[in-house]
């Protein structure tokens, strides 16, 4: 209790509120958390709702009340969400509201503990005539909780005055870059103004055959857009580096470390004379990342309709969307060919395809 009291003392609450947290809210939370940890239920949300029902004195079945079991569950879910919201406010510095703006906890407690009135027939009839209140949105337990140190994160994440680098280019080079960017998913959502900033900020780099361009595990401070050459992406698998992708002109690599503030996911080696354009992290964050996020928002609803991704949550689908790029094919053009080594799979967004297969050297059949 001493550690709990020390934590509560640092909150911007009145003494009355602090006593309520320590003497009323904390014991309930300790019971619920202890039971969840001990039982490890498959559905922790439902388990917590059942516990709150028992602690509030509401029976599992209440035939004598005018609330159905579904309605009772909805009410308890709403109370659980309110409690979660209260805890988030308590954990966030400056998140506490003045006492006159907050709902009195003792009133909420009394409402939770007050048994339903069984003899009020008139009120029962009126309630039956009214449409049921829609249930609150489900609590998504898979989401990462908000950072407690929101102040520190916010300070780190604030945009500062930005002056993008400028590397002069000939009109021919700029036109080539614009052409490549327009075909890349990562840059296709840029406005003409932002595209001009990105083109000017890109720095040309040349690599000799066998030269390592980026190293798996390193911090990433730039991405590369290939103009010429065919570098290979390699990952360390079971102690051995294996080629996982072969790149071509127009491809982008090194962007994942910038998108997710992560270390390099793979190494990239030049296999021939390679010319690439490097874009620094700061320009990417200020110009490209927001536009790419908007483009991701367009693809996530589409991915929800794809059966193979039905078990993913929204966060996982957004990550998948970031890694996908749109490709367009003309009529009668091959997307993949039988016998080729496969490095990608495709989801048909628009149009129709024909699958042809040849057996034992025979002509392909549909």
């Amino acid at each position: 209790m001493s550690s709990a009291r020390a934590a509560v003392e640092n909150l911007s609450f009145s003494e009355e509120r602090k006593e309520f947290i320590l003497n009323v809210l904390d014991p309930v939370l300790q019971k619920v958390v202890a039971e969840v940890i001990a039982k490890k239920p498959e559905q922790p949300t439902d388990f917590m709702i059942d516990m709150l029902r028992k602690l509030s004195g509401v029976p599992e079945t209440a035939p004598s009340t005018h609330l159905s079991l579904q309605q009772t569950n909805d009410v308890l879910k709403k109370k659980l969400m309110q409690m979660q919201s209260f805890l988030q406010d308590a954990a966030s510095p400056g998140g506490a509201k003045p006492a006159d703006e907050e709902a009195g906890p003792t009133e909420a407690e009394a409402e939770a503990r007050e048994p339903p009135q069984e003899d009020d027939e008139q009120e029962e009839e009126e309630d039956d005539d009214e449409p049921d209140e829609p249930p609150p949105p489900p609590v998504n337990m898979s989401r990462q909780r908000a950072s407690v140190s929101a102040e520190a994160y916010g300070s780190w994440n604030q945009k500062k005055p930005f002056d993008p680098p400028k590397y002069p280019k000939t009109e021919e080079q700029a036109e080539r870059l614009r052409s490549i960017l327009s075909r890349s998913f990562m840059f296709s959502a840029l406005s003409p103004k932002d595209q001009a900033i990105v083109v000017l900020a890109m720095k040309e780099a040349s690599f000799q055959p066998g030269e390592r361009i980026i190293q798996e595990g390193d911090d990433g401070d730039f991405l590369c857009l290939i103009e010429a050459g065919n570098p290979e992406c390699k990952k360390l698998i079971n102690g051995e580096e294996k080629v996982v992708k072969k790149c071509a002109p127009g491809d982008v690599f090194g962007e994942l470390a910038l998108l997710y503030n992560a270390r390099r996911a793979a190494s990239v080696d030049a296999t021939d004379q390679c010319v690439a354009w490097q874009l620094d992290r700061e320009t990417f964050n200020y110009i490209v990342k927001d536009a790419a996020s908007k483009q991701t928002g367009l693809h996530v609803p589409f991915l929800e309709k794809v059966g193979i991704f039905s078990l993913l949550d929204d966060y996982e689908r957004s990550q998948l969307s970031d890694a996908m790029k749109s490709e367009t094919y003309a009529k009668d053009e091959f997307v993949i060919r039988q016998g080729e080594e496969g490095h990608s799979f495709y989801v048909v967004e628009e149009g129709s395809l024909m699958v042809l297969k040849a057996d034992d050297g025979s002509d392909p059949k549909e």
Side-chain angles (χ1 to χ4, degrees):
M1 179 63 73
S2 59
S3 60
R5 179 171 292 277
V8 171
E9 286 299 328
N10 293 325
L11 300 177
S12 302
F13 285 127
S14 65
E15 291 301 321
E16 181 184 357
R17 301 294 184 195
K18 293 177 182 178
E19 290 302 317
F20 170 75
I21 294 173
L22 291 170
N23 300 327
V24 179
L25 184 59
D26 188 59
V28 174
L29 291 177
Q30 286 189 21
K31 290 180 182 178
V32 173
V33 172
E35 283 296 308
V36 170
I37 295 175
K39 300 294 178 61
K40 294 187 290 187
E42 293 184 0
Q43 300 293 336
T45 305
D46 293 339
F47 183 85
M48 293 169 69
I49 290 171
D50 289 339
M51 276 210 65
L52 291 173
R53 182 190 296 116
K54 294 175 183 177
L55 292 173
S56 64
V58 177
E60 293 189 6
T61 58
S64 60
T65 70
H66 65 276
L67 289 178
S68 66
L69 182 58
Q70 180 61 46
Q71 290 171 321
T72 303
N73 280 337
D74 292 341
V75 171
L76 290 169
K77 284 181 180 179
K78 185 178 293 186
K79 291 184 181 297
L80 179 60
M81 292 176 67
Q82 290 171 345
M83 182 178 293
Q84 290 174 330
S85 177
F86 177 83
L87 289 176
Q88 289 175 353
D89 287 343
S92 300
K97 298 180 180 179
D100 57 351
E101 292 182 15
E102 297 180 357
T106 53
E107 181 180 345
E109 181 190 9
E111 179 183 325
R113 297 179 181 275
E114 183 179 355
Q117 300 294 329
E118 300 181 5
D119 55 350
D120 193 349
E121 296 181 358
Q122 182 178 359
E123 182 181 351
E124 179 176 326
E125 291 176 0
E126 290 176 356
D127 289 344
D128 289 340
D129 292 337
E130 295 178 357
D132 290 339
E133 182 180 352
V139 180
N140 187 351
M141 300 301 289
S142 65
R143 290 182 179 273
Q144 295 179 345
R145 69 178 181 88
S147 172
V148 173
S149 56
E151 225 172 43
Y153 176 81
S155 174
W156 174 84
N157 201 37
Q158 287 175 358
K159 289 190 175 182
K160 301 174 182 177
F162 171 59
D163 184 21
K166 297 177 178 65
Y167 298 99
K169 298 171 181 64
T170 65
E171 183 55 36
E172 181 184 0
Q173 288 176 318
E175 183 57 36
R176 287 204 311 268
L177 274 176
R178 285 192 290 267
S179 176
I180 296 174
L181 292 178
S182 65
R183 300 194 302 269
S184 170
F185 158 77
M186 184 70 61
F187 301 95
S188 60
L190 294 178
S191 66
K193 179 181 178 181
D194 287 341
Q195 187 185 77
I197 295 175
V198 169
V199 168
L200 198 57
M202 284 186 157
K203 181 174 67 173
E204 187 176 20
S206 298
F207 303 94
Q208 300 299 319
E211 185 176 353
R212 176 140 295 184
I213 303 174
I214 62 174
Q215 174 66 46
E216 180 178 359
D218 282 355
D219 291 329
D221 55 3
F222 65 88
L223 62 77
C224 284
L225 178 67
I226 304 171
E227 182 176 4
N230 300 90
E232 292 180 338
C233 297
K234 301 177 180 179
K235 281 188 69 67
L236 195 62
I237 302 175
N238 296 328
E240 180 183 355
E241 276 195 344
K242 296 184 179 180
V243 177
V244 294
K245 181 183 178 182
K246 295 182 179 180
C247 300
D251 286 348
V252 177
F253 63 85
E255 77 282 5
L256 294 180
L258 307 188
L259 275 171
Y260 303 114
N261 291 319
R263 295 185 180 276
R264 297 293 193 190
S267 299
V268 178
D269 290 343
T271 60
D272 49 14
Q273 186 67 34
C274 177
V275 177
W277 294 93
Q278 296 179 343
L279 183 66
D280 64 286
R281 173 188 287 274
E282 191 174 13
T283 304
F284 177 84
N285 284 338
Y286 273 83
I287 305 296
V288 183
K289 195 171 185 178
D290 289 344
S293 297
K294 293 176 183 176
Q295 189 79 349
T296 296
L298 298 177
H299 288 164
V300 169
F302 164 69
L303 294 177
E304 291 177 355
K305 303 174 184 177
V306 180
I308 194 173
F309 305 134
S310 61
L311 297 180
L312 301 181
D313 60 27
D314 287 342
Y315 176 72
E316 291 167 329
R317 275 191 288 264
S318 69
Q319 288 185 302
L320 181 63
S321 177
D322 288 343
M324 297 177 73
K325 67 176 182 177
S326 180
E327 295 185 352
T328 303
Y329 295 88
K331 183 179 179 181
D332 297 329
E333 184 179 0
F334 279 91
V335 179
I336 59 175
R337 290 183 180 272
Q338 182 177 351
E340 290 181 342
E341 185 176 358
H343 296 288
S344 304
F345 77 93
Y346 297 82
V347 180
V348 182
E349 184 174 11
E350 184 178 340
S352 57
L353 301 175
M354 178 186 296
V355 180
L356 302 173
K357 183 174 176 62
D359 294 321
D360 301 326
S362 61
D363 292 335
K365 295 181 180 179
E366 183 175 352

